[in-house]
Amino acid sequence: MSLLPVEEAIAAILKRVPTPVGETVSLDAAAGRVLLEPVKARHDQPPFNASAMDGYAVGAADIMEGHSLKVVGTSQAGASYAGRLGPHEAVRIFTGAPVPEGADAVIMQEQAQLDGDQVSFSIEPLPGRNIRALGNDFTTGQTLIEAGVRLTPMQIAVAAAANTPTLTVARRPRIALLATGDELALPGAALGPDQIIASNSFGLAPMLAPYAHTMTDHGIARDDREALRDKLSAILADAPDVLITTGGASVGDHDIVQEILVELGVTLDFWRINMRPGKPLMFGTIGKTLVFGLPGNPVSAMVTAIVFIKPALRHWLGLTPQTPWHLPLAAATPANTARRHFMRAQLQQTPNGPMALPISQTDSGHTSSMALADLLIVQPEQAPGQAAGTLVETIVVDAF
């Protein structure tokens, strides 16, 4: 069976991802959510002509050298001056307070000399000085935040300022994880002679949790046909939006996950990809559930999750594809094989800017190299070796 090119696999997955569905959340629950409907201002900001300084509200035409004005009142935030400013009058005003009618300038207090109820000034202002005009920031109906962005604290503050108490965001998927394999033991266990420590779910869960409504780890299933079938059947009966298994995705005598999933009704779209690490990736659907069968090898599992599952979840939430970084190499890379290579690399900050330093250990058995990896260098099929300084495409490992 031929290996499926990476782009074709991603396209096949995205065809199965449903259209984003909106839900309404309060502002205090909106951080990190993806906005589906734009935020529009419900009022003008500021809703009145507001002072940009502590000082005195005046009529600019009244200010002449050697003349003083009478201070007739005060305007402060939440307690404006109720009257209209008359000729040769001034109002003490504070930052953010409404500018009273009849005033068209604010002179900062450092440029004023107060003597009883009389104030004089060291400057002659032009109209509009130190005044934030009504609607200067935004106006009613103006779009302040476009749909399709992941909301930051600053954007949420803008939504609040626009008098928007709730936001329409993309519903997040329910994700289920299941590790498989007789050889697996949980961290902290005493290892038997044929065992290794399970690590996949401990990396996948925090990687994918920001995209998820719930992330349920169903633990480890042994390579026993009946027990594994019961476990998978119970998970699928709960109809998660996404099921991710690790291990058993190949065709060995003990790699029975694919076979059992098909028996349970999963329709497989593909299961072998022209890439390294991570060739035996499996993808299919049952009902509304997307099913990903990742390799059991930890490096392969994490790389395939970055390359295939994260784009699927971004699509689910209505986000555009992650933009790759093009960075110069800090060291040369070897020539690639017939399979696309997602090569682990470190992000280095240099006097000439950021660079990608390839990690020399390219074997997927070197799990420890993941602790150093900030990037994946995308090496095309049959690509020749690249010299240091060459611009290469990279994927940021921890980008949302």
Side-chain angles (χ1 to χ4, degrees):
M1 181 182 292
S2 61
L3 301 179
L4 188 66
V6 170
E7 287 85 2
E8 291 186 25
I10 293 174
I13 292 169
L14 296 186
K15 284 182 181 179
R16 301 290 193 182
V17 176
T19 301
V21 175
E23 63 179 357
T24 300
V25 300
S26 60
L27 291 180
D28 59 5
R33 302 297 298 272
V34 177
L35 190 65
L36 276 195
E37 293 183 3
V39 174
K40 295 182 181 293
R42 297 187 178 187
H43 64 93
D44 298 327
Q45 178 66 17
F48 43 75
N49 293 331
S51 176
M53 295 283 178
D54 290 349
Y56 294 87
V58 301
D62 268 347
I63 308 302
M64 292 179 290
E65 186 177 354
H67 289 74
S68 62
L69 305 181
K70 182 179 181 180
V71 180
V72 295
T74 300
S75 182
Q76 60 191 50
S80 61
Y81 178 71
R84 179 181 178 87
L85 199 66
H88 312 301
E89 292 181 340
V91 165
R92 180 75 167 107
I93 196 166
F94 296 92
T95 303
V99 177
E101 289 186 59
D104 61 5
V106 171
I107 301 177
M108 60 193 301
Q109 61 188 16
E110 290 84 355
Q111 296 168 326
Q113 298 81 44
L114 184 64
D115 183 8
D117 65 355
Q118 298 292 308
V119 63
S120 57
F121 305 99
S122 59
I123 67 162
E124 296 181 14
L126 293 174
R129 184 180 182 89
N130 294 326
I131 292 178
R132 297 188 178 113
L134 182 150
N136 176 65
D137 188 357
F138 53 78
T139 57
T140 303
Q142 181 180 340
T143 297
L144 300 179
I145 310 173
E146 297 286 355
V149 301
R150 187 173 183 236
L151 290 162
T152 65
M154 285 190 175
Q155 289 168 328
I156 292 170
V158 170
N163 199 21
T164 307
T166 61
L167 300 173
T168 300
V169 298
R171 184 183 69 83
R172 295 177 295 185
R174 296 167 56 239
I175 299 178
L177 291 176
L178 178 67
T180 69
D182 286 339
E183 74 279 13
L184 299 179
L186 288 172
L191 284 178
D194 302 314
Q195 289 188 306
I196 59 173
I197 294 296
S199 61
N200 289 334
S201 296
F202 294 95
L204 292 171
M207 176 193 291
L208 305 178
Y211 304 87
H213 175 65
T214 57
M215 174 71 65
T216 306
D217 186 352
H218 291 273
I220 299 170
R222 301 303 171 192
D223 293 326
D224 174 85
R225 176 173 289 276
E226 184 175 348
L228 181 56
R229 183 186 177 92
D230 289 346
K231 188 84 167 178
L232 286 169
S233 181
I235 294 171
L236 292 174
D238 187 48
D241 295 303
V242 180
L243 167 61
I244 302 167
T245 66
T246 56
S250 190
V251 291
D253 291 341
H254 298 286
D255 293 331
I256 57 177
V257 174
Q258 179 185 143
E259 186 178 331
I260 292 174
L261 285 170
V262 171
E263 290 175 5
L264 292 173
V266 173
T267 300
L268 290 183
D269 284 20
F270 59 80
W271 69 273
R272 296 205 307 172
I273 309 297
N274 190 38
M275 65 180 292
R276 63 185 181 105
K279 178 179 73 172
L281 172 74
M282 176 174 59
F283 174 73
T285 57
I286 178 171
K288 71 179 185 68
T289 303
L290 308 182
V291 180
F292 294 87
L294 306 188
N297 173 277
V299 174
S300 298
M302 296 297 282
V303 169
T304 50
I306 292 167
V307 175
F308 297 102
I309 299 181
K310 286 176 68 172
L313 296 178
R314 287 180 63 89
H315 197 69
W316 186 294
L317 299 177
L319 289 168
T320 57
Q322 180 186 341
T323 302
W325 287 9
H326 289 84
L327 297 173
L329 288 169
T333 60
N336 192 23
T337 65
R339 286 190 280 155
R340 183 165 306 183
H341 186 198
F342 293 88
M343 186 178 191
R344 284 148 279 164
Q346 289 180 279
L347 179 64
Q348 282 199 334
Q349 299 295 340
T350 75
N352 296 320
M355 303 184 77
L357 176 64
I359 292 174
S360 60
Q361 299 291 359
T362 60
D363 191 300
S364 60
H366 288 277
T367 305
S368 59
S369 65
M370 289 196 295
L372 304 175
D374 307 301
L375 307 166
L376 298 177
I377 296 172
V378 183
Q379 286 189 294
E381 299 83 346
Q382 304 289 7
Q386 301 292 318
T390 304
L391 280 179
V392 293
E393 179 182 334
T394 70
I395 299 172
V396 182
V397 167
D398 285 335
F400 184 84

